[in-house]
Amino acid sequence: MRLLPSRYPESTYSPRRGKMNQVRQKVSQYVMRHVTNGAAHALDDDLQITIPFSEANKEATATILFIHGAFGDRNDWDQVTPNLSKYHILLPDLPGHGQTDRIGPFSKKLSARLLADLIRQHAKGGRAHVVALSLGAFVAIELASVHSDVVNEMFISGLKVMPAAYRTAIAPYGLWLSQRLESYIPLPLVRWAMDGTDMQGVDLSRVTLPLCRAIMSTITAESGDGEWAQPWAARTCIISAGKAGIVPSADHPEDAVKYRDIGRKGNAETVAYTHPLMRHPWNRQDPVLFARACRCHYVYRARVGNNRWQFLIDCMNDVSRSITNLNAESKLFVLREPAVTLLPKLFRAWNITHLVFEKDTDAYAKERDKQVIESAEKAGVKVIVGPQSRTLWDSDEVMKANGGKPTMSISQLQAAGAKVGAIARPVETPTNLPGPGDVELDIDQERPESKPDINGKYRESDEKTYSSGIAGPQGDYSVPTLVELGMKPATTPHRGGESLILARLESILADEDYTATFEKPKTSPAAFEPQSTFLTSPFLHFGALSARYFYHRVEDIVEKRRKEKKAVSTPPTSLTGQLLFRDMYFVAQAALGYSFGQTYGNSHCRFIPWHLPSKVDVKTGLVTGEYEVDDEGKEKEFQRWRDGKTGFPWIDAIMRQLKQEGWIHHLARHAVACFLTRGGCYISWERGAEVFEEWLVDHEAACNIGNWQWLSCTAFYAMFYRCYSPVAFGKKWDDTGEFVRKYVPELKGLSKKYIYEPHKAPIQDLKKAGVVIRGDGSEEMSEGVPVYPKPMFDFNVQREICMQGMKNAYRVGLHGNDPKVLDGSWKELFADDGAGPTEGKEGGPGGMASFEDADEADGAREELVKAKRTSKRNVPKASPEAARKGHKREHSQGTIDGAFGKKVKS
DNA sequence: GAAGAAGTTGAAGAT
DNA sequence: GATCTTCAACTTCTT
């Protein structure tokens, strides 16, 4: 008895329908054997059964498999799946449920085995994402641990493990009885008591005692220390419904945490959240949110704004045009599939003989390249790996020359670089290229999932690039567009492309005097249209400009002028000096591995008790992508900084330029970074680095992280008493305030006297300027007049507080890998009235380690501390495994946070 | 090893 | 307006 009509077509059995009688025979043989053998759950490999299922969106290229809960069936998902129209959807009935009553009895193992077969035969590319609820979640975990080859990522909810004491003969009777009793309660009453959750009735004819026994056995904890599950490799998001109320419908968050910790042994990115407003069957309470959360988990993962996307697309188009210029028949062919899965197929399809690519320093790229090289060798393809072109030297080589240690100063980098040898000159641009040959392809496409894709908030429509096949919507392998990617248009005026930067470079180099005497500290952060520097950084990042080409072109001019006895500038302030800084940060990253990007566990990053510190998973030693809100006021300050509404026009102008255009001058980065950290808010540099990571068109992980450590005086730089003023520093470069007027237009009518401190302007000046100064930035207009906020604090007071805080933190002298940082006992060394969250032993967490699941984590933390205690400043060995996990940090935000926001934290 | 100088890019006041 | 000194005080490099 179903109360809601099915949205799905009648079930279709497998293509082996013709063999149905044979299958039934096999099934009954299996059932007989199973029943007679009692606990034996093993299946014969030759047992060919396909469970009934429905499917939707067959044209889509990535599959999600939905697994329903106890006594339910595939129809339980009918409100969620319409919100996931981009995905191919598979909806099976579990054994013993729905139309699968002939297959059984139900067990985790049997279910997982049958679902794995279903995925292999019917999912796109033989793999699927898995979404599961309640009993289905237990099945999903079994599926992911035993049949890891078919599972991409998982989104599971509703884990409730019954105590081992429930392992009694009587418990299944209780379940059987409760299902019958519940059926007497009118459904409208149930829905009312469950906040409007669209509950469906249960078909009591399926609630049999054997099924109740099988379910109880699945969801009841093993007695003693029995394993709950084996670690699984799929990145998994586990949600606990937190709402109880009249009906006891909440999940067990502690069980979710336990499973999360098992899952993390297989994949460090596995997470668990509690949603306080949702009930156990929240797929029917808020199906839109449920679907949104699934989507967030799968595709919206990277902090990449649409401006950086546009820049990359520009660069790709330019390369394509350059290729066509050399050979009218050729161009850049963009194939929509990850290299790891695509290339092995392509080697065969196109009879590839050689594969050439550039060495990449990012850990995830190293892992990818290793896989590609292996598959190429297997296919008899010759692989040629070109040298790194993003840097001057090979970062690994320089690290070795520096004794395996990070380069923490320019002189160290130069000394180690000299040992490696002269900076190689780049090879010449080719003058001709062979044609592409036959580019017809007849292979199946696999959508990329394991790599970061894009940030959901920048999308305004469905992605159409991958869903239209390997060759793209036009079928011609063309470079994608933002529209195709479903992204909003870029707001940046800065465009990419090799020919653009090469032309710009020539115009700069033509002025030999300028080139040879360039000094970075003399360029203005307040200049716009044009900027005082020429934005080579995003081109260097995307490979549109070779660092070594740039270096040698400049160096040739400098050398010529030296011979002519003319003045030249030298590193670190000269043009080539700028390139040296990039190499310094790359080598530091190469040496420190995962810990470079965070304070916790970082042997070279000073520990400062910042506000809004990162949460850390003490088992892996990695930041989770979330942070502690130790002080609501500081959270508000952080949001105002990010939004350009601090009430300090200089800071706000820079932050608005960054958000709008994706680029700000290096000294402007100094000003806002100092303000957020040691010279204003006393908020963790990691918060600021994350914002830059999302917005900068030239974001380079190594440089961004390194510069934030520099400015916060946690590494590379230590003169914290040299502090930037949000008023004086702006005035020094732009006395009249044109830069502020451009980016904070509500202040454009103010005179230069008050442009940097509008709250000091007399009321008549403000009236004349047409602006109201009040509030915290939440109000934009008042009676048709723009509102600009008051300063969020007295800067001089705050600078003094920060200065004392820094002085004290330096005196305490901890680094990120100090045992006291690792175990949270650093608080004993700071006064309760200090600048940061130093609440003494009695206070809340407020530090680098999150103690929310302290009992679970204690053992692991002690081990970590013990290991570190042996050497205070040991450099963590950058094992490939650790490095891989560490680099995923960059992409780890965004998962579910966007869907839940504050609800999770409340 | 000790001492002094230098360190990509400060602010504020005096001369 | 340009240059110098002081502020209070850190690490690294050179001698």
Side-chain angles (χ1 to χ4, degrees), chain A residues 519-562:
Chain A
E519 287 178 81
K520 187 64 171 276
K522 291 185 179 170
T523 60
S524 169
F528 60 98
E529 290 170 12
Q531 287 82 13
S532 61
T533 53
F534 32 91
L535 278 88
T536 48
S537 46
F539 298 92
L540 289 166
H541 172 72
F542 283 120
L545 175 65
S546 151
R548 287 179 286 120
Y549 178 76
F550 184 24
Y551 177 88
H552 281 293
R553 288 298 304 274
V554 172
E555 202 49 27
D556 288 348
I557 291 169
V558 169
E559 205 45 48
K560 177 173 160 246
R561 298 217 356 150
R562 274 211 186 97

Side-chain angles (χ1 to χ4, degrees), chain A residues 574-596:
Chain A
S574 65
L575 276 180
T576 53
Q578 308 312 299
L579 294 170
L580 293 174
F581 275 109
R582 296 176 74 255
D583 269 56
M584 178 183 80
Y585 291 136
F586 270 90
V587 176
Q589 184 181 43
L592 292 173
Y594 74 92
S595 73
F596 180 61

Side-chain angles (χ1 to χ4, degrees), chain A residues 125 174 202 335 404 463 474 786:
Chain A
V202 168
L335 279 72
E463 172 282 319
Q474 278 85 46

Side-chain angles (χ1 to χ4, degrees), chain A residues 338-653:
Chain A
V340 170
T341 55
L342 172 71
L343 288 173
K345 292 183 275 181
L346 211 55
F347 294 150
R348 285 193 300 275
W350 282 355
N351 295 321
I352 307 283
T353 57
H354 288 71
L355 175 69
V356 186
F357 61 87
E358 182 190 327
K359 177 176 173 175
D360 199 322
T361 50
D362 288 352
Y364 90 88
K366 282 183 181 170
E367 189 180 293
R368 174 199 63 202
D369 295 350
K370 190 169 158 260
Q371 284 177 272
V372 167
I373 290 170
E374 277 168 14
S375 68
E377 281 166 355
K378 229 182 256 173
V381 172
K382 187 168 169 53
V383 179
I384 302 166
V385 183
Q388 213 171 309
S389 75
R390 267 197 293 179
T391 52
L392 302 175
W393 290 282
D394 183 299
S395 301
D396 294 327
E397 296 283 308
V398 179
M399 175 185 72
K400 274 184 219 148
N402 198 46
K405 288 183 297 205
T407 45
M408 301 305 288
S409 71
I410 283 295
S411 50
Q412 283 174 6
L413 186 267
Q414 285 172 307
K419 283 186 208 165
V420 172
I423 295 165
R425 283 189 179 264
V427 294
E428 293 296 318
T429 309
T431 51
N432 63 74
L433 281 176
D438 181 12
V439 293
E440 286 300 309
L441 256 191
D442 185 22
I443 53 175
D444 289 332
Q445 182 203 37
E446 225 168 291
R447 259 190 84 157
E449 297 299 339
S450 60
K451 297 293 175 286
D453 190 358
I454 43 177
N455 200 320
K457 65 187 149 189
Y458 295 101
R459 275 182 192 273
E460 59 177 9
S461 61
D462 287 351
E463 172 282 319
K464 295 174 210 70
T465 189
Y466 282 102
S467 51
S468 48
I470 284 183
Q474 278 85 46
D476 62 352
Y477 308 97
S478 56
V479 174
T481 62
L482 275 188
V483 173
E484 213 177 291
L485 292 165
M487 307 280 286
K488 292 177 190 167
T491 56
T492 178
H494 307 303
R495 305 307 296 258
E498 183 189 27
S499 49
L500 199 154
I501 190 60
L502 289 182
R504 195 181 294 168
L505 190 61
E506 289 310 318
S507 75
I508 295 158
L509 297 172
D511 187 343
E512 294 192 352
D513 194 49
Y514 173 85
T515 304
T517 61
F518 176 92
E519 287 178 81
K520 187 64 171 276
K522 291 185 179 170
T523 60
S524 169
F528 60 98
E529 290 170 12
Q531 287 82 13
S532 61
T533 53
F534 32 91
L535 278 88
T536 48
S537 46
F539 298 92
L540 289 166
H541 172 72
F542 283 120
L545 175 65
S546 151
R548 287 179 286 120
Y549 178 76
F550 184 24
Y551 177 88
H552 281 293
R553 288 298 304 274
V554 172
E555 202 49 27
D556 288 348
I557 291 169
V558 169
E559 205 45 48
K560 177 173 160 246
R561 298 217 356 150
R562 274 211 186 97
K563 280 182 188 154
E564 294 167 1
K565 307 268 189 232
K566 287 183 183 163
V568 294
S569 56
T570 51
T573 55
S574 65
L575 276 180
T576 53
Q578 308 312 299
L579 294 170
L580 293 174
F581 275 109
R582 296 176 74 255
D583 269 56
M584 178 183 80
Y585 291 136
F586 270 90
V587 176
Q589 184 181 43
L592 292 173
Y594 74 92
S595 73
F596 180 61
Q598 56 186 56
T599 304
Y600 194 87
N602 185 333
S603 56
H604 286 66
C605 180
R606 274 185 184 282
F607 173 79
I608 312 281
W610 303 115
H611 291 291
L612 311 187
S614 296
K615 282 190 184 178
V616 174
D617 175 357
V618 291
K619 285 192 175 166
T620 60
L622 298 175
V623 294
T624 64
E626 290 191 309
Y627 58 91
E628 304 273 359
V629 179
D630 60 289
D631 180 332
E632 287 295 338
K634 287 292 163 184
E635 168 67 7
K636 178 91 186 161
E637 284 178 16
F638 172 51
Q639 295 304 333
R640 288 181 67 175
W641 174 85
R642 184 187 159 103
D643 294 342
K645 290 180 174 176
T646 64
F648 294 95
W650 169 244
I651 300 297
D652 294 342

Side-chain angles (χ1 to χ4, degrees), chain A residues 29-313:
Chain A
Q29 279 168 6
Y30 166 73
V31 172
M32 286 301 291
R33 195 163 57 238
H34 175 73
V35 171
T36 48
N37 289 352
H41 277 239
L43 277 172
D44 286 350
D45 283 345
D46 64 347
L47 184 67
Q48 296 288 327
I49 3 171
T50 302
I51 48 179
F53 69 99
S54 306
E55 58 186 321
N57 311 329
K58 280 189 185 176
E59 69 292 347
T61 52
T63 302
I64 303 180
L65 173 87
F66 287 82
I67 313 176
H68 62 78
F71 307 121
D73 67 19
R74 69 187 94 164
N75 290 305
D76 292 356
W77 300 106
D78 61 3
Q79 296 178 4
V80 172
T81 51
N83 299 296
L84 292 163
S85 56
K86 286 188 304 181
Y87 289 91
H88 171 228
I89 285 165
L90 284 179
L91 295 147
D93 289 343
L94 285 175
H97 293 72
Q99 295 184 8
T100 321
D101 52 347
R102 285 177 297 269
I103 303 172
F106 169 85
S107 79
K108 269 197 303 196
K109 281 193 166 60
L110 174 64
S111 304
R113 160 71 193 280
L114 295 175
L115 292 176
D117 285 347
L118 177 68
I119 294 173
R120 284 193 192 99
Q121 289 165 26
H122 295 279
K124 307 286 175 172
R127 291 176 71 96
H129 298 307
V130 174
V131 174
L133 189 82
S134 195
L135 180 70
F138 293 89
V139 172
I141 290 171
E142 176 78 14
L143 174 66
S145 355
V146 180
H147 308 278
S148 59
D149 58 316
V150 300
V151 179
N152 284 332
E153 297 185 347
M154 300 212 296
F155 183 85
I156 60 179
S157 181
L159 289 167
K160 260 175 150 170
V161 180
M162 296 302 155
Y166 276 60
R167 247 175 214 288
T168 59
I170 198 139
Y173 288 94
L175 182 60
W176 183 87
L177 189 61
S178 70
Q179 290 297 314
R180 278 169 172 73
L181 290 177
E182 275 171 31
S183 71
Y184 288 108
I185 307 171
L187 268 178
L189 184 63
V190 176
R191 287 179 189 148
W192 170 80
M194 294 275 282
D195 300 326
T197 302
D198 189 359
M199 299 295 289
Q200 300 185 99
V202 168
D203 182 349
L204 286 177
S205 71
R206 305 223 181 278
V207 184
T208 61
L209 265 174
L211 182 57
C212 290
R213 272 193 207 103
I215 290 170
M216 283 310 289
S217 136
T218 301
I219 64 172
T220 307
E222 301 280 349
S223 47
D225 290 318
E227 281 284 334
W228 278 31
Q230 294 300 316
W232 63 95
R235 174 173 166 267
T236 304
C237 179
I238 306 170
I239 302 293
S240 262
K243 184 84 181 279
I246 308 172
V247 183
S249 60
D251 299 335
H252 294 169
E254 65 279 12
D255 293 340
V257 166
K258 203 161 169 180
Y259 274 110
R260 178 201 68 188
D261 290 341
I262 297 170
R264 278 192 180 165
K265 289 178 191 156
N267 188 317
E269 289 192 78
T270 284
V271 291
Y273 293 89
T274 298
H275 195 307
L277 299 179
M278 290 297 127
R279 293 175 177 279
H280 181 73
W282 63 291
N283 58 323
R284 306 200 69 83
Q285 180 188 355
D286 194 341
V288 174
L289 176 66
F290 195 102
R292 217 176 116 207
C294 297
R295 277 206 307 271
C296 285
H297 185 59
Y298 296 138
V299 293
Y300 301 92
R301 310 213 253 144
R303 287 192 209 97
V304 182
N306 47 348
N307 285 337
R308 190 147 88 245
W309 259 114
Q310 180 63 61
F311 203 95
L312 171 62
I313 289 168

